[in-house]
Amino acid sequence: MHPDHEEIATGFVTAITTGDTEALRRLYAPDARIWHNGDGTEQTVEDNLRTLRWLARNLRDFRYEEIRRDPAAYGYVQRHVLRGRLPDGTAVEVPACLFVTVDGGRITRIEEYADSRATDALRAHAAARRAAREAQR
């Protein structure tokens, strides 16, 4: 893998798991797009940073394991398992694959394929938090 791409990939994982949105912002091109198979939508950088901040705040022992990366003409492919625990102790384990496009030393596009059933606990936690906020209004 291109040394710059390895550095970007490692920095990306570290920034996500530590909630370092400024490092993530530096890794992303300003007009980068992040697509997810679960909902078929593209996120802007700001939308994605909001999602990643939520993960860092809501998962304890948040980490990526079983990381495997391969070079690609456009950047790299990463397979991993996202792991952590929700505040109630529920274990989260999400196998995923990222196709990451890098141009000019920055991430311009990510296509993320995650096991959508494995995200059920995350979605339920988010829905419960939204419901609790609505009930307080």
Side-chain angles (χ1 to χ4, degrees):
M1 190 151 90
H2 189 285
D4 289 345
H5 295 177
E6 184 64 41
E7 186 176 323
I8 289 167
T10 300
F12 185 67
V13 167
T14 299
I16 291 171
T17 57
T18 61
D20 188 346
T21 55
E22 288 312 307
L24 286 166
R25 194 182 309 280
R26 288 189 300 273
L27 289 167
Y28 279 134
D31 60 347
R33 293 293 179 263
I34 300 86
W35 177 87
H36 302 93
N37 73 300
D39 59 11
T41 62
E42 282 188 347
Q43 290 182 317
T44 65
V45 170
E46 290 306 316
D47 292 337
N48 188 250
L49 292 177
R50 216 173 358 266
T51 298
L52 296 174
R53 271 193 303 270
W54 185 91
L55 279 174
R57 282 193 315 262
N58 286 277
L59 283 180
R60 291 182 302 213
D61 195 23
F62 180 24
R63 63 204 186 278
Y64 287 88
E65 295 182 328
E66 301 174 40
I67 296 173
R68 293 175 291 149
R69 291 189 189 114
D70 295 304
Y74 51 81
Y76 64 94
V77 176
Q78 175 176 301
R79 290 162 311 285
H80 62 256
V81 179
L82 176 153
R83 289 192 171 99
R85 291 201 173 276
L86 290 170
D88 68 359
T90 301
V92 173
E93 186 171 294
V94 182
C97 182
L98 305 177
F99 293 84
V100 182
T101 303
V102 177
D103 188 22
R106 295 177 93 179
I107 296 170
T108 59
R109 181 170 183 80
I110 296 175
E111 294 179 8
E112 179 182 44
Y113 295 85
D115 179 348
S116 56
R117 290 301 309 213
T119 63
D120 286 350
L122 287 168
R123 293 176 198 275
H125 177 70
R129 289 181 53 106
R130 277 192 302 276
R133 281 194 307 273
E134 290 297 318
Q136 292 177 355
R137 291 182 187 181

